[in-house]
Amino acid sequence: MFEEIYRESRHRTVGITMGLSTEELARPVPACPEWTVHQLIAHLAGVAADFASGRVEGSPGEEWTARHVAEREGVPVLDLLEQWNASTELLDKIPGQIAMDAVTHEANLRAAVGRERLPDHPWQTTLTGIVTRYLPDLTVTTEFGVIGTGHVALEVDGYELWRAFFGRRSRKQMEAWHWSEPYPVEKVTFFPPRDTDLTE
């Protein structure tokens, strides 16, 4: 599953990136407020390079991701895409961590440059696993079905929950969802909630 998700996401991200202007590459990414589009691509190239070389100490922490960007400052985006491709070819197996990182950042990229939302298959497939593995307290009703058997019922747009799990929604946004009872929303997220709302 993760092999397919990663390689298809990389293919889509490369296709989008190759068509971007200099202005678009310099555009801030709202879901990654300290990065530009160019820096987001630098991170994706860096993740693949680190996993290919075994340089994964500190992942997925802020210092680890910041190093990807710093080491590739000023590198033309086409060179970054070539680095990403070369490193991917060295990977015998695609870890789930980098597959989820890639598809999350594809979603970030699409929102930043005004492209249509991420295709349904990768986020719906992984959301099912996220709820059953990480959110056992919840029974989640989404537009594509019911996931989980927990004692707390949540009715929510599936994409919103998926984005929230990876830290792309605020506490306020999550508290506004349709809960059957009060619930500590920080338990919903792998990464901490944003301080500010993010609407995509």
Side-chain angles (χ1 to χ4, degrees):
M1 177 182 73
F2 289 124
E3 179 89 21
E4 176 189 2
I5 287 172
Y6 183 76
R7 295 190 183 278
E8 290 185 356
S9 178
R10 192 179 71 82
H11 178 77
R12 292 190 299 265
T13 297
V14 168
I16 292 170
T17 304
M18 290 184 68
L20 297 179
S21 66
T22 301
E23 181 275 329
E24 287 172 316
L25 291 171
R27 186 175 296 176
V29 180
C32 304
E34 296 183 358
W35 285 353
T36 63
V37 169
H38 181 278
Q39 290 170 324
L40 183 151
I41 301 302
H43 164 65
L44 289 170
V47 170
D50 278 3
F51 271 87
S53 65
R55 193 182 180 192
V56 296
E57 183 178 351
S59 68
E62 291 184 6
E63 291 185 7
W64 186 69
T65 57
R67 176 172 54 76
H68 300 152
V69 173
E71 289 178 347
R72 292 162 179 80
E73 184 177 358
V75 177
V77 74
L78 292 181
D79 291 347
L80 293 176
L81 295 177
E82 289 182 3
Q83 289 179 19
W84 190 11
N85 179 65
S87 297
T88 299
E89 294 304 313
L90 296 174
L91 294 169
D92 295 327
K93 181 180 179 181
I94 302 298
Q97 178 182 335
I98 71 168
M100 296 313 304
D101 187 69
V103 76
T104 296
H105 285 304
E106 179 191 350
N108 299 340
L109 171 67
R110 287 174 174 274
V113 297
R115 299 300 192 269
E116 64 183 7
R117 197 176 80 175
L118 189 72
D120 289 341
H121 173 71
W123 70 261
Q124 289 184 355
T125 300
T126 53
L127 181 63
T128 298
I130 286 167
V131 172
T132 55
R133 180 176 179 181
Y134 295 102
L135 308 176
D137 292 345
L138 302 184
T139 296
V140 181
T141 300
T142 73
E143 68 278 16
F144 63 93
V146 178
I147 313 169
T149 57
H151 67 279
V152 178
L154 169 63
E155 184 176 345
V156 65
D157 180 282
Y159 187 73
E160 290 297 298
L161 177 57
W162 185 78
R163 291 294 275 160
F165 182 77
F166 293 103
R168 267 63 187 192
R169 295 294 181 265
S170 70
R171 180 183 300 274
K172 179 181 175 182
Q173 285 177 295
M174 290 187 287
E175 288 175 345
W177 294 342
H178 299 287
W179 299 92
S180 63
E181 60 186 72
Y183 190 79
V185 295
E186 64 273 6
K187 292 177 66 174
V188 173
T189 66
F190 183 78
F191 293 108
R194 290 172 53 89
D195 293 330
T196 58
D197 292 354
L198 179 64
T199 303
E200 299 171 314

